[in-house]
Amino acid sequence: MTQEERLLYLIKYLINENNELKYIDVPMADGEQKRLLRSLMNIRPPKTVSKEFLEIQDAYLQEECAKKGIISLSDIPSAQQGMYLWQGDITRLSVDAIVNAANSAMLGCFVPCHGCIDNAIHSAAGVELRLACSRIMAKQKTQEPVGKAKITKAYNLPCRYVLHTVGPIIYGKVTKKDCDLLADCYLSCLELAAAYQLKSVAFCCISTGEFHFPNEKAAEIAVKTVQSYQKKNQNDLEVIFNVFKDTDYAIYRQLLG
């Protein structure tokens, strides 16, 4: 199958499995078809899917990943010993694990093509990531606490694993508890990575953006927590601070010297 044929197959499969979507017309333009596929994946609940769908989805997503360009740790210059700074799409990073800023339901973002990192990671990984998260949450039987972390396979992402953590949501003034919980997010991910003997972890800017944690304060907590962890633990765990916005890049550049 060509990439175009895979795209149409995936769209039609997702439309046909849901009677409420039968009215949708498939657009002709490639860009609009890709947006429709992502939207359909975003709204799909965690339920059984055919082996054929997964095979075609995996081939499609892996080719799309290769087109974007895969970034290895060796491609990123060191900012400090054991720490790196990289600006770009976190779903391009070929490291042991990337960190997803999840919500307490921990099933990914259900808003079609939403701009959050949770949506980007689930969209690039494929529907199996939501299924894996659903299994974890069904076993846990409660929402994911703020400051903790869970691990899943990465499926069609170029990394090996995804670490999912729920950061604090800021409604007004940032409190000490908010700061402690954000630090816990970083520490929980680092400890989980070490438990799985991972050697490289890429952090997104947890709790900024949709969760409204001030960017500068969040970055200070991130860097301080990682530095403290690396000082106490001699496990060679290398950390990449992944940023998307120019403002965050400037903040981390200053903090990391």
Side-chain angles (χ1 to χ4, degrees):
M1 293 178 80
T2 66
Q3 194 71 339
E4 292 74 19
E5 289 170 338
R6 293 183 188 122
L7 177 57
L8 283 173
Y9 169 90
L10 297 172
I11 289 172
K12 290 176 181 178
Y13 180 100
L14 294 175
I15 289 175
N16 289 334
E17 71 173 0
N18 187 338
N19 287 329
E20 294 181 1
L21 302 177
K22 295 290 178 68
Y23 68 89
I24 293 178
D25 292 323
V26 179
M28 296 296 293
D30 181 70
E32 292 180 15
Q33 287 180 359
K34 289 181 177 181
R35 186 173 177 83
L36 175 57
L37 174 61
R38 179 168 174 171
S39 298
L40 293 169
M41 291 171 64
N42 293 159
I43 65 173
R44 186 182 192 273
K47 61 182 181 180
T48 307
V49 66
S50 74
K51 182 180 178 183
E52 182 181 42
F53 176 90
L54 291 178
E55 289 175 350
I56 294 172
Q57 174 207 246
D58 293 353
Y60 174 80
L61 291 177
Q62 288 168 26
E63 186 166 324
E64 289 299 297
C65 179
K67 286 179 183 176
K68 288 193 294 185
I70 296 172
I71 305 296
S72 301
L73 186 61
S74 59
D75 298 320
I76 306 171
S78 174
Q80 286 186 13
Q81 185 171 355
M83 287 190 282
Y84 302 78
L85 175 61
W86 187 72
Q87 183 179 19
D89 179 355
I90 199 169
T91 67
R92 295 175 60 197
L93 290 177
S94 176
V95 293
D96 281 350
I98 62 172
V99 174
N100 177 30
N103 57 49
S104 58
M106 219 185 72
L107 294 177
C109 173
F110 283 84
V111 180
C113 296
H114 192 251
C116 69
I117 196 162
D118 197 12
N119 190 296
I121 288 173
H122 274 264
S123 298
V127 300
E128 285 177 292
L129 183 56
R130 179 166 285 166
L131 288 166
C133 290
S134 178
R135 290 191 291 269
I136 291 172
M137 298 308 285
K139 185 176 181 180
Q140 183 166 290
K141 297 179 180 178
T142 184
Q143 290 192 322
E144 180 69 2
V146 175
K148 303 299 182 182
K150 294 291 191 294
I151 188 169
T152 64
K153 289 167 59 179
Y155 299 99
N156 294 296
L157 293 161
C159 57
R160 294 171 58 204
Y161 296 96
V162 179
L163 304 176
H164 307 262
T165 189
V166 182
I169 302 175
I170 306 302
Y171 295 103
K173 184 178 179 181
V174 178
T175 65
K176 182 181 184 301
K177 183 179 180 181
D178 294 326
C179 295
D180 291 343
L181 286 171
L182 183 58
D184 287 344
C185 289
Y186 285 90
L187 187 58
S188 294
C189 288
L190 292 167
E191 290 175 342
L192 188 55
Y196 277 76
Q197 299 182 320
L198 307 186
K199 296 299 182 184
S200 55
V201 176
F203 282 100
C204 61
C205 300
I206 303 167
S207 270
T208 59
E210 295 295 317
F211 283 15
H212 307 298
F213 208 107
N215 297 57
E216 282 195 43
K217 187 64 178 175
E220 289 171 7
I221 292 169
V223 172
K224 182 179 178 181
T225 304
V226 170
Q227 287 174 333
S228 177
Y229 175 86
Q230 290 182 332
K231 188 175 181 180
K232 292 178 183 176
N233 299 273
Q234 303 299 317
N235 55 12
D236 299 324
L237 182 56
E238 296 188 292
V239 170
I240 304 95
F241 294 108
N242 169 249
V243 300
F244 195 74
K245 298 177 180 177
D246 292 341
T247 51
D248 287 316
Y249 184 78
I251 291 167
Y252 275 92
R253 274 291 298 269
Q254 185 173 10
L255 288 171
L256 295 170

